[in-house]
Amino acid sequence: MTWTLTIQRMPDSRLNPNRASTKHWRSRNGGKKADTDEAQKLAEDYGLSASMPWSRAWVTITLSPSNKSPRDIDNFGAACKGFLDGITKAGVLTDDKVIQAITYQWGEIHKPHGMTEIEIDGE
């Protein structure tokens, strides 16, 4: 079974590892909390099926930026952790340790704030 959550923005920029050294830990923590809370609320609003939480999952994250500025896709692994933690808190996964693999890919430009789509295939 596949489940998809669409978040109408990209992950908080404070969580980008290239910027982390310039930010105080409290600032980064605030960004992660905001991402976790938003993903949890959206996942709960989505309505979970009776087959959840899943004990094994494969994740595809599609990132659709708001413009064509160059970005390193490998930085988004750390930046998306808050979203995955929120999905786990909502009860979609038993724990984020059950994720077997994560694939990151670019989507189309999405104005005005970008978009993050998280697709989970679970069992």
Side-chain angles (χ1 to χ4, degrees):
M1 181 173 148
T2 301
W3 181 84
T4 303
L5 181 69
T6 301
I7 301 167
Q8 295 298 321
R9 64 180 178 82
M10 296 281 284
D12 193 299
S13 64
R14 293 175 286 184
L15 302 175
N16 183 321
N18 284 347
R19 297 182 183 165
S21 63
T22 62
K23 301 286 183 187
H24 188 273
W25 68 267
R26 190 173 293 153
S27 172
R28 289 190 312 272
N29 191 51
K32 183 176 182 282
K33 181 171 177 9
D35 284 0
T36 300
D37 291 348
E38 182 171 0
Q40 180 180 3
K41 181 178 180 342
L42 288 170
E44 289 171 349
D45 290 350
Y46 181 88
L48 306 174
S49 75
S51 66
M52 294 178 185
W54 290 323
S55 57
R56 288 173 34 115
W58 295 263
V59 178
T60 300
I61 298 178
T62 303
L63 300 151
S64 300
S66 61
N67 58 46
K68 293 183 180 184
S69 294
R71 295 169 174 85
D72 293 336
I73 200 161
D74 57 337
N75 290 328
F76 286 94
C80 288
K81 177 140 178 57
F83 290 153
L84 294 173
D85 287 349
I87 289 168
T88 301
K89 286 177 77 173
V92 177
L93 305 172
T94 55
D95 190 283
D96 59 1
K97 292 177 183 72
V98 304
I99 297 172
Q100 304 297 303
I102 301 177
T103 302
Y104 296 94
Q105 61 189 19
W106 292 119
E108 300 295 318
I109 301 297
H110 189 270
K111 301 270 184 193
H113 304 291
M115 182 174 71
T116 304
E117 185 176 83
I118 302 172
E119 182 178 287
I120 303 174
D121 187 20
E123 57 183 42

